[in-house]
Structure formats: C-alpha cells, structure tokens
Amino acid sequence: MQHIKILLAEDDKNLGMILKAYLDSKGHHATLCSNGVDALKAFHAEPFDLLVTDIMMPVMDGFALAHQIKQQQPFMPLIFLSAKKEQDDILEGFRLGADDYVTKPFSMDELLMRIQAVCRRSSSTPSQPSVYRLGNYSFDAMRHVLVRGDETQKLTSKESDLLLMLCENMNQTLERSKALKAIWEEESYQNARSMDVYITKLRKYFDKESDVKIVNVHGVGFKLLVE
C-alpha cells in the first residue's frame, strides 16, 4: 500500500498520539489535530489523502468538520471514529459522505485495514471526478469551481477543461497543440489566441496564491507550477 497522508482529528490526547505513532510506524504520515478548527486549518495548508475524525470534539465537532471539508473537496475519503453507537449518529455520518464509521473501542490493526480499503476504493474508482489542491485553492473539475476558504469562483466550461489539463500535467509542460486539439478540436491561429485569453483569465484567479503559477514554455505550451 502506498504512503497515505492522513488528517487525524482526535481530542483525546493519549489516543491521538497513539494513533499517530501507530500510523506513522506503518509507513504513513498522520497530522494530528485536537479539534475541528485546527484540522480545518491543516486541511487548507496542505493536501491530504484521507480524513479520519472523532465526532465529539471541542470548538468544532467532527460532523461540522466533515461538512466543511466535503463542501470544498467532495471526494475526500472520510472515516469517522466515535464512541457514539446510536443508529442516528451512524446514519448522519454516512449522510455527510463517510466511507466508513468505526466505533470505539477498536483494534489498531483493524483501523489500518479499513483505512487501506477506503483508499484503495477511492484510487481505483475510474468514474470519480478529479478534485485538485492548488495551494490554498481546491479545484473541483466536475462542478467547475475554484474554492478558497469562503470564496467560490465559478469557471466556464473551457476554463475548467483547460485548468483540468494543466492539473493532469502539473509541474510538467502541457503542449499547446495537445490542449487545442482536446478542447478546441482544431489547431488554428484564432483558437490559439482564444486559448491565450483563457490562460490569462486562469492566471488572474491565482493572483492571491504565490505558490501557484501558470508559466509559458516558449514555443511549446504552458506549465502549471504548484509548490
């Protein structure tokens, strides 16, 4: 199983530290937060493969945290950990988009197996629309939106298609001819000028994001650079 970056939200300090140490020892990387607000800040700071969250936490509970993250990254795999075993709580967890719901107490080995199973299903679903983390932005190609905190920028179909191709070739050169054939269906001077206009529009969306740049590769195409 590949290395998994896990956002772990657990207010029980001892359990949280044990979980983090166990997951790290298995070759994964867990970022531990003690409440939903800190976990949401961590989510905005870097990309994660999976959210594992307790439900009963101070400041912001696990349900509220999951709701916030799913609004910005709908296909983020999610596992709830909770001592709440009532059917209403379990159903609410799945209504919020949970891939699994693990009740306490639980076996560490079983949790690891469940984490790996959820990530396998997530990565092997070919019809799953792509959601990309671009600095502090989240790009949802299916919904044609760029989200940054509370700000949502709706994209046109061509803007979204072009940004998706750039994301699929992130930090690599996207050939101009390839994009023209895929999106405009024909290489022509007029279509090339149109694409330049859309590239300029996309650059403006990332004006506030120093870690995201769309640069020209002279005579070849464009490159989306994400630090």
Side-chain angles (χ1 to χ4, degrees):
M1 187 72 188
Q2 65 180 6
H3 169 94
I4 302 170
K5 288 189 67 178
I6 302 164
L7 178 55
L8 175 62
E10 172 57 66
D11 70 321
D12 183 321
K13 183 177 180 180
N14 291 331
L15 176 58
M17 292 177 64
I18 291 170
L19 277 172
K20 173 176 169 53
Y22 175 79
L23 293 169
D24 289 350
S25 74
K26 296 299 181 180
H28 306 302
H29 176 71
T31 296
L32 176 62
C33 301
S34 61
N35 61 69
V37 169
D38 288 346
L40 192 59
K41 289 178 182 177
F43 168 77
H44 287 142
E46 60 180 303
F48 290 93
D49 301 312
L50 171 71
L51 169 63
V52 178
T53 180
D54 186 18
I55 293 176
M56 294 183 290
M57 296 187 294
V59 188
M60 178 189 288
D61 68 23
F63 283 158
L65 170 64
H67 177 70
Q68 290 281 335
I69 287 180
K70 284 290 189 176
Q71 279 192 319
Q72 298 176 51
Q73 195 165 331
F75 303 101
M76 165 75 86
L78 164 64
I79 296 176
F80 282 113
L81 301 179
S82 183
K84 296 169 75 69
K85 301 179 182 180
E86 292 79 6
Q87 186 180 37
D88 287 348
D89 294 312
I90 295 173
L91 291 176
E92 176 66 8
F94 284 109
R95 188 189 69 78
L96 286 167
D99 295 274
D100 207 342
Y101 190 109
V102 180
T103 56
K104 300 176 181 179
F106 53 83
S107 156
M108 295 287 180
D109 290 337
E110 179 185 351
L111 176 62
L112 179 62
M113 293 299 103
R114 288 175 180 269
I115 286 173
Q116 292 175 340
V118 165
C119 289
R120 274 197 303 271
R121 290 197 301 270
S122 174
S123 63
S124 65
T125 304
S127 60
Q128 176 176 305
S130 297
V131 178
Y132 294 87
R133 291 288 297 175
L134 305 173
N136 290 316
Y137 284 88
S138 174
F139 168 50
D140 186 334
M142 183 184 73
R143 295 171 55 222
H144 294 188
V145 292
L146 267 176
V147 179
R148 185 177 189 268
D150 295 330
E151 302 174 8
T152 299
Q153 174 65 54
K154 182 69 176 176
L155 304 180
T156 67
S157 294
K158 276 192 167 56
E159 287 172 342
S160 184
D161 290 345
L162 185 53
L163 183 55
L164 177 59
M165 289 195 73
L166 287 165
C167 288
E168 290 172 341
N169 295 272
M170 194 178 300
N171 296 320
Q172 300 177 19
T173 300
L174 170 63
E175 296 179 6
R176 175 185 287 269
S177 60
K178 181 179 178 181
L180 284 170
K181 290 175 182 176
I183 301 172
W184 278 266
E185 300 181 351
E186 181 186 4
E187 285 187 74
S188 69
Y189 176 79
Q190 183 176 355
N191 287 343
R193 297 303 299 161
S194 176
M195 183 165 67
D196 289 338
V197 170
Y198 280 98
I199 288 289
T200 299
K201 288 182 178 180
L202 291 177
R203 284 182 176 136
K204 287 182 179 179
Y205 295 145
F206 294 108
D207 277 348
K208 299 177 182 178
E209 189 58 60
S210 60
D211 292 338
V212 180
K213 294 182 177 65
I214 302 173
V215 300
N216 291 330
V217 180
H218 184 67
V220 182
F222 307 96
K223 185 182 291 187
L224 174 64
L225 299 176
V226 180
E227 297 183 7

